[in-house]
């Protein structure tokens, strides 16, 4: 049950990721200022999603790993 | 001693270390096809992490990446967007592929596909498409290596010699140690790439502009069009949103289907290794940030190189950097080139033998390995020839190959997940999808909204696959069921099958 929930969540996250970095979802974030860590906002926005996927996948790995252990 | 000689010594040292690691790696591997192609299915997390990172980011990342940021600006951001999008599904797909691989003894992606959809012509077609996509890819890696060495030694080591030396070494260790050499050299080269990219990405803007923020402020004042998506095309026109967005999509769909990456599912020690490689992948991918910064650092530089791809060596040579830094940079670029080139040569030869030759002619284990080695040499020689006499056609071929590789996705996903798929469906989908992709590649002006030809191919491919599968019957439903059970780790034929799920504990 919990695995299903996480899988739904992670699918949703990556769908949002695709929408946020392509047309038209990217448009509101496609700007130079404010610079974040010195980077143009457009570049920071994409890097943020990449970094967030790392955290999301870590979370998935924990939940699924636990579920696999309980399976046995 | 002249400056270029000092740089040449650093490069020679780097090459010697790589060769040493590559030759040593093969000592433990078994002398079997599984040993040569899939590393006895024993790769751990560290090696897998660097194989995926270093292999995916080739000379293109080190030379082309800054080149894109320099000449096309934010267009380059698509490269930053797709990596983990393409890799994330592998958290589930990878272990499935690995389980079937263990159960049936597959070492290539095509064997898996043909195992589910038996067809010799499918096997030959996939092998041919793979080689067709690989040759220009290897050629560009070789040229990249040659170009860098020529540039940093002031032409004292010409392109033919530099490319020949670097790839002579690659061929030596791939011949002697197979995939074990690819794994261990990629680990060394991957660490090198990461360190060099981050160091230069922070150091260059500091030195030239006084920091990353000040650099982007200056670019924003003078060339703001470079800092927002979708950036520019190669000719300096604004790029379209359709082209930019579908470039991300088609790359994300295709990236994990590159045979030299997919095959590594069979080389992993266990399922958890594959999963953790996926989880950690974004940390490697973020090295594209300094790579782009390096390219942007060149935008306001008063002079410009002849070709945008040379921006990195060009900047480095004109910034009065110490010879040591230049030498290390060069080693980093060679790492990027060689870590992809070795995986391509190795995978190309393996696929040619396992999927192109073996279905048609019986070969013993020793003969297969011998033939693979001959083909590594042959592919290296062909690519070397093209690297010296290159025309525009090769870049064109490489760009079209992503559209073709993306067509591998529906058949492989169907093989692992969709019970109702049939051989006829998969073959007709693959042929129609590839044909549409090639058509729109050559008739680019006919593409609606500037969509990538690979996406247009998929729009035809998937419906054809589904419809034809429903119209035809599975020749052997029992076999299909056994195959899908193996994919889920529920093995019928194998009593220790339950172990597939807890591979991490073993």
């Amino acid at each position: 049950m919990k695995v299903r929930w996480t899988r739904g969540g992670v699918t949703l996250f990556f769908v949002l990721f695709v929408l946020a970095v392509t047309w038209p979802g990217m448009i509101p974030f496609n700007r130079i200022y404010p610079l974040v860590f010195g980077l143009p906002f457009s570049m920071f926005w994409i890097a943020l999603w990449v970094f967030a996927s790392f955290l999301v996948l870590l979370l998935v790995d924990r939940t699924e790993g636990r579920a696999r252990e309980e399976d046995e | 001693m002249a400056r270029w000689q000092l740089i040449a010594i650093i490069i020679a040292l780097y090459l010697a270390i790589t060769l040493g690691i590559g030759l040593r790696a093969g000592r433990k591997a078994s002398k079997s096809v599984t040993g040569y192609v899939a590393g006895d299915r024993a790769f751990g997390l560290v090696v897998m992490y660097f194989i995926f990172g270093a292999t995916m980011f080739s000379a293109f990342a080190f030379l082309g990446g800054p080149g894109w940021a320099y000449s096309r600006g934010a267009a380059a951001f698509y490269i930053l967007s797709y990596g983990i999008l393409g890799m994330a599904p592998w958290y589930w797909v990878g272990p499935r592929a690995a389980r079937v691989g263990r159960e049936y003894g597959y070492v290539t992606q095509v064997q898996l596909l043909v195992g589910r959809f038996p067809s010799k012509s499918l096997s030959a077609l996939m092998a041919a498409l793979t080689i067709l996509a690989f040759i220009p890819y290897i050629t560009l890696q070789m040229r990249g290596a040659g170009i860098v060495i020529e540039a940093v030694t002031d032409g004292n080591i010409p392109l033919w010699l530099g490319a020949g030396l670097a790839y002579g070494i690659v061929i030596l260790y791939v011949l002697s140690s197979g995939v074990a050499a690819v794994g261990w050299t990629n680990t060394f080269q991957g660490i090198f790439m990461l360190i060099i990219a981050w160091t230069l990405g922070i150091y260059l803007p500091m030195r030239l502009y006084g920091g990353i923020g000040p650099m982007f402020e200056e670019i924003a004042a003078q060339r703001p069009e470079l800092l927002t998506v979708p950036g520019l095309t190669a000719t300096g026109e604004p790029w379209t949103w359709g082209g930019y967005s579908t470039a991300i999509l088609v790359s994300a769909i295709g990236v994990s289907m590159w045979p030299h990456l997919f095959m590594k599912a069979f080389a992993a020690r266990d399922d958890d290794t594959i999963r953790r490689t996926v989880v950690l992948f974004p940390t490697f991918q973020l090295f594209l940030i300094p790579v782009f910064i390096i390219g942007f650092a060149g935008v306001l530089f008063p002079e410009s190189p002849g070709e945008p791809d040379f921006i990195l060596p060009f900047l480095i040579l004109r910034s009065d950097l110490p010879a040591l830094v230049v030498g290390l940079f060069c080693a980093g670029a060679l790492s990027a080139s060689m870590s992809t080139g070795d995986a391509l040569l190795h995978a190309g030869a393996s696929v040619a033998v396992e999927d192109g030759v073996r279905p048609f002619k019986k070969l013993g284990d020793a003969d297969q390995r011998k033939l693979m080695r001959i083909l590594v040499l042959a592919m290296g020689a062909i690519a070397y020839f093209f690297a010296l006499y290159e025309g525009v056609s090769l870049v064109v071929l490489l760009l079209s190959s992503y559209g073709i590789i993306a067509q591998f996705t529906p058949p492989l996903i169907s093989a692992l997940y969709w019970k109702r798929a049939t051989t006829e469906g998969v073959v007709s989908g693959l042929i129609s999808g590839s044909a549409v992709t090639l058509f729109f590649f050559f008739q680019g002006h006919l593409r609606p909204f500037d969509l990538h030809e690979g996406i247009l191919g998929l729009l035809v491919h998937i419906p054809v696959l589904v419809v034809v599968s429903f119209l035809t019957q599975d020749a052997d439903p029992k076999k299909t069921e056994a195959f899908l059970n193996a994919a889920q780790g529920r093995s019928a034929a194998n009593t220790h099958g339950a172990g597939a799920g807890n591979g991490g504990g073993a």
Side-chain angles (χ1 to χ4, degrees), chain B residues 447-499:
Chain B
R447 290 174 301 147
F449 307 109
D450 199 27
L451 298 181
H452 192 287
E453 61 272 8
I455 293 290
L456 296 168
L458 287 172
L459 288 178
V460 173
H461 183 156
I462 297 169
V464 168
L465 193 165
V466 172
V467 169
V468 176
S469 287
F470 275 121
L471 291 176
T472 48
Q473 286 301 320
D474 193 341
D476 193 349
K478 275 224 174 81
K479 209 179 127 223
T480 303
E481 198 155 320
F483 187 97
L484 287 173
N485 277 339
Q488 286 176 314
R490 287 200 307 262
S491 157
N494 210 335
T495 42
H496 67 258

Side-chain angles (χ1 to χ4, degrees), chain A residues 20-31:
Chain A
V21 298
T22 53
W23 186 87
M26 174 97 193
I27 291 172
F29 310 97
N30 189 21
R31 45 200 289 170

Side-chain angles (χ1 to χ4, degrees), chain B residues 65-423:
Chain B
W68 268 58
Y70 166 72
S71 61
R72 304 182 57 174
F77 295 173
Y78 101 82
I79 310 168
L80 178 63
S81 309
Y82 75 74
I84 186 59
L85 281 177
M87 286 299 297
W90 252 68
Y91 187 90
W92 296 278
V93 179
R96 265 189 184 237
R99 284 189 285 251
V100 194
R102 278 194 297 268
E103 180 80 19
Y104 296 94
Y106 302 141
V107 289
T108 73
Q109 170 186 29
V110 185
Q111 285 175 341
L112 184 154
L113 194 62
V114 176
R116 166 81 201 271
F117 307 115
S119 156
K120 280 187 184 178
S121 30
L122 179 62
S123 182
L125 176 68
M126 292 276 290
L129 287 176
T130 303
I131 304 297
L132 208 67
F134 271 14
I135 294 279
Y137 205 163
I138 301 171
T139 301
L140 291 179
Q141 303 307 318
M142 278 192 189
R143 263 187 81 80
I147 284 168
V148 168
I149 296 181
E150 181 174 294
V152 299
T153 57
D154 302 331
N156 281 295
I157 302 179
L159 195 151
W160 67 267
L161 183 60
L165 271 176
Y167 274 79
I169 284 173
V170 165
I171 284 175
L172 258 180
Y173 67 64
V174 170
L175 283 183
S176 83
S177 313
V179 79
V182 176
W184 285 107
T185 52
N186 280 13
T187 305
F188 169 64
Q189 291 160 333
I191 295 171
F192 219 90
M193 282 162 72
L194 286 181
I195 295 175
I196 301 280
W198 280 103
T199 315
L200 284 180
I202 293 168
Y203 176 80
L204 278 179
M206 283 289 206
R207 188 173 172 114
L208 298 172
Y209 302 90
I212 296 170
M215 176 180 94
F216 280 114
E217 273 166 22
E218 269 186 58
I219 297 174
Q222 296 187 37
R223 304 280 311 274
E225 73 277 12
L226 288 178
L227 296 185
T228 50
V229 171
L232 308 176
T233 64
T235 48
E237 311 283 311
W239 201 14
T240 59
W241 271 108
Y244 177 87
S245 304
T246 47
I248 294 179
L249 284 181
V250 82
S251 312
I253 292 170
V255 68
S256 61
M257 292 297 149
W258 277 100
H260 58 295
L261 292 171
F262 191 100
M263 282 165 66
K264 298 302 178 289
F266 304 126
R269 186 187 294 146
D270 50 47
D271 296 352
D272 275 349
T273 305
I274 300 179
R275 294 192 189 103
R276 304 231 158 102
T277 307
V278 175
V279 172
L280 290 175
F281 183 77
T283 60
F284 201 107
Q285 194 189 341
L286 287 172
F287 106 116
L288 285 170
I289 293 174
V291 164
F292 293 156
I293 290 176
I294 294 168
F296 281 118
V299 169
L300 301 176
F301 210 68
E303 309 157 77
S304 59
E307 280 178 56
D309 282 1
F310 293 164
I311 185 64
L312 186 48
F314 183 86
L315 262 187
I316 300 248
L317 289 170
R318 274 162 194 72
S319 309
D320 296 318
L321 295 174
L324 179 72
V325 178
V326 178
L328 287 178
F329 146 72
C330 182
L334 286 178
S335 296
S337 153
M338 292 163 74
S339 59
T340 306
D342 59 6
L344 288 168
L345 278 171
H346 173 267
S350 306
V351 168
V353 172
E354 293 297 306
D355 310 315
V357 177
R358 212 157 66 100
F360 303 94
K361 191 173 180 311
K362 279 259 167 289
L363 283 175
D365 214 69
D367 287 335
Q368 288 177 47
R369 273 178 293 132
K370 198 164 133 199
L371 193 55
M372 277 175 201
R373 291 191 161 109
I374 294 171
L375 281 169
V376 166
L377 265 178
M379 286 178 71
I382 294 171
Y384 185 62
F385 175 81
F386 281 128
L388 300 189
Y389 306 97
E390 193 235 8
V392 187
S393 54
L394 278 170
V395 183
V396 168
L397 267 177
L398 183 67
L399 287 175
S400 66
S401 59
Y402 241 110
I404 295 287
I405 295 294
Q407 308 304 319
F408 288 8
T409 308
L412 280 153
I413 296 299
S414 315
L416 290 168
Y417 285 92
W418 194 36
K419 200 173 150 198
R420 194 60 191 82
T422 65
T423 309

Side-chain angles (χ1 to χ4, degrees), chain A residues 11-21 49:
Chain A
T11 311
L12 182 68
F13 170 83
F14 280 104
V15 169
L16 287 177
F17 184 167
V18 173
L19 294 178
V21 298
W49 279 95

Side-chain angles (χ1 to χ4, degrees), chain B residues 7-26:
Chain B
I7 295 171
I9 290 174
I10 297 170
I11 296 170
L13 263 177
Y14 158 78
L15 289 175
I17 295 173
T18 307
L19 181 63
I21 294 174
L23 292 182
R24 263 190 78 88

